[in-house]
């Protein structure tokens, strides 16, 4: 399972890292575009406002950064030998849960009890 888990986590890491870079580039482009425009873009009949797009991209960037951190933490647990062990009760996290959520830190029972 360890090599399979590592391969999956590395793949998820690459995808999350790509999303972080992509959203950062798009936000930088939007920032550049916004420098030369009127800040009051709420009544633009051309479609989505810069403020709305900024908000959407910021949310996507934060989600990608959060996922990247969770994957990095899972890789660190894998290296430490604690991957797949519930951080609350110390029992193994079922393989089916790790397939669905490879960076899970709690077994299903503990996650439910903790409201995660």
């Amino acid at each position: 399972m360890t090599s399979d888990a590592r391969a999956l986590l590395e793949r998820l890491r690459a995808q999350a890292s790509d999303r972080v870079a992509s959203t950062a580039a798009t936000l930088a482009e939007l920032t550049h575009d916004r420098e030369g425009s009127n800040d009051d873009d709420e009544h633009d009949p051309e479609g989505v406002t810069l403020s709305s797009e900024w908000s959407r991209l910021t949310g996507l960037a934060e989600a990608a950064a959060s996922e990247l951190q969770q994957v990095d933490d899972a890789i660190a647990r894998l290296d430490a030998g604690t991957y797949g062990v519930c951080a609350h009760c110390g029992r193994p996290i079922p393989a089916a849960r790790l397939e669905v959520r490879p960076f899970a830190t709690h077994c299903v029972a503990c996650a439910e009890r903790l409201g995660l």
Side-chain angles (χ1 to χ4, degrees):
M1 177 174 111
T2 302
S3 63
D4 290 343
R6 181 169 302 278
L8 174 60
L9 290 170
E10 292 294 341
R11 189 169 59 251
L12 291 173
R13 187 185 194 294
Q15 291 169 354
S17 183
D18 287 348
R19 282 196 314 279
V20 166
S22 174
T23 54
T26 305
L27 277 168
E29 184 179 316
L30 185 64
T31 300
H32 179 267
D33 291 347
R34 191 171 195 159
E35 287 172 357
S37 73
N38 183 356
D39 284 339
D40 183 19
D41 65 348
E42 294 301 319
H43 299 94
D44 183 3
E46 297 299 317
V48 178
T49 64
L50 290 175
S51 297
S52 160
E53 187 66 4
W54 180 269
S55 180
R56 184 185 74 81
L57 287 170
T58 301
L60 290 173
E62 290 171 358
S66 175
E67 183 176 336
L68 180 60
Q69 184 61 57
Q70 289 178 65
V71 172
D72 283 344
D73 291 348
I75 291 171
R77 287 191 304 278
L78 192 63
D79 291 341
T82 58
Y83 180 77
V85 176
C86 180
H88 189 257
C89 71
R91 289 187 222 138
I93 298 172
R97 176 160 171 77
L98 291 172
E99 284 178 32
V100 173
R101 189 166 174 83
F103 36 82
T105 57
H106 296 85
C107 65
V108 174
C110 289
E112 287 176 351
R113 266 195 299 272
L114 297 170
L116 303 174

